[in-house]
Amino acid sequence: MATSSLINPNPTIYEVHEILRDEHHVAGEQDEFDSLEIFDLIRKINDPEHPLTLEQLNVTKLENCFVDNSKSYVRVNFTPTIPHCSMATLIGLCLRVKLLRSLPDRFKVDILITPGTHASEAAVNKQLNDKERVAAALENGHLLDVVNGCIAHSD
């Protein structure tokens, strides 16, 4: 039997549902971001290992996106497909880059692993939310190419 180089060779694929937005914008009011808008930005990011979206793998979910417009704050929790997933940092980096490129500069963005779902949760969270580490990672041309590839068709 041949061994696979994939971290998770047989991920569970979940059904994707369209989520309809209830549009009630009043003229003159500031159009605020909400959890659905954040989820829409990240749901179609491609997994770095499989030709599937993070939504199809249940890595991202609407209920794990949080927005506080009054504090210009966004938090996204994501759930790796397996507890020892070595792609967790890369997935988190893709989420961060997509949101930083899509949201106004006023927003502080935290990307966190869903508590209890990864063996190295604290270390990965620390890496993903340290500006210097993120900047250094994105200076790596190959890594930046991989991130750009994952988020390329996520609009």
Side-chain angles (χ1 to χ4, degrees):
M1 180 177 210
T3 58
S4 173
S5 62
L6 297 176
I7 305 302
N8 184 1
N10 296 308
T12 303
I13 301 171
Y14 296 84
E15 188 174 347
V16 174
H17 301 282
E18 184 177 354
I19 303 169
L20 299 177
R21 176 177 296 284
D22 189 18
E23 297 288 341
H24 290 308
H25 182 70
V26 177
E29 282 188 4
Q30 181 180 2
D31 186 19
E32 296 189 333
F33 286 89
D34 61 17
S35 296
L36 180 55
E37 196 164 359
I38 299 304
F39 181 63
D40 280 342
L41 289 170
I42 63 173
R43 69 193 303 180
K44 293 181 183 172
I45 293 174
N46 288 321
D47 181 76
E49 188 176 36
H50 299 284
L52 300 165
T53 67
L54 297 183
E55 181 183 22
Q56 289 174 306
L57 294 171
N58 236 16
V59 172
T60 57
K61 298 179 186 179
L62 174 59
E63 58 265 25
N64 287 338
C65 299
F66 306 91
V67 179
D68 184 336
N69 283 284
S70 67
K71 295 180 180 175
S72 297
Y73 177 73
V74 171
R75 185 182 82 232
V76 172
N77 288 51
F78 71 100
T79 306
T81 58
I82 52 176
H84 55 278
C85 178
S86 64
M87 298 286 169
T89 304
L90 178 56
I91 291 168
L93 191 59
C94 291
L95 293 167
R96 173 168 295 288
V97 169
K98 176 64 178 182
L99 291 174
L100 290 177
R101 289 180 182 174
S102 302
L103 295 172
D105 291 340
R106 68 182 171 92
F107 279 95
K108 178 185 183 328
V109 176
D110 282 338
I111 306 295
L112 302 166
I113 290 181
T114 304
T117 63
H118 193 274
S120 302
E121 175 185 333
V124 172
N125 286 344
K126 184 174 182 176
Q127 282 183 303
L128 292 174
N129 294 291
D130 182 306
K131 287 181 183 180
E132 288 79 22
R133 289 183 189 198
V134 169
L138 296 175
E139 287 177 6
N140 177 316
H142 174 70
L143 187 57
L144 183 58
D145 288 345
V146 173
V147 169
N148 286 333
C150 289
I151 66 175
H153 304 288
S154 59
D155 293 328

